[in-house]
């Protein structure tokens, strides 16, 4: 194997490893963002508003 071939092989291996590392880090960041308290709190507020609205409708019907 010539020096140029080895160099190209090492270069492409480095590029693949760097891309893989970047994608793994992006996936971790996305997962952490999806599990943040802000999203959970927003869902809780939405559920509260829905139950509050349904309670108001029940009160009006009675």
């Amino acid at each position: 194997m010539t020096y140029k071939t080895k160099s190209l092989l090492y270069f492409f291996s480095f590029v693949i490893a760097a891309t893989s590392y970047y994608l793994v880090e992006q996936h971790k960041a996305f997962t952490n963002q999806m599990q943040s308290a802000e999203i959970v709190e927003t869902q809780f507020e939405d559920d509260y508003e829905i139950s509050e609205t349904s309670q108001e409708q029940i009160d009006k019907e009675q």
Side-chain angles (χ1 to χ4, degrees):
M1 209 184 285
T2 65
Y3 178 74
K4 288 183 181 182
T5 307
K6 281 184 182 180
S7 296
L8 283 174
L9 182 64
Y10 290 144
F11 175 73
F12 286 123
S13 297
F14 173 77
V15 170
I16 291 170
T19 304
S20 300
Y21 179 78
Y22 175 76
L23 292 174
V24 167
E25 289 298 316
Q26 289 297 314
H27 183 266
K28 285 181 183 178
F30 178 73
T31 304
N32 289 340
Q33 184 180 12
M34 292 302 293
Q35 294 176 350
S36 71
E38 182 177 323
I39 292 174
V40 173
E41 184 177 330
T42 302
Q43 291 173 350
F44 177 76
E45 288 176 3
D46 290 343
D47 290 343
Y48 178 75
E49 290 172 2
I50 291 170
S51 65
E52 187 178 58
T53 305
S54 62
Q55 185 63 36
E56 288 173 359
Q57 289 174 352
I58 292 171
D59 291 341
K60 285 180 183 180
E61 290 175 359
Q62 292 176 354

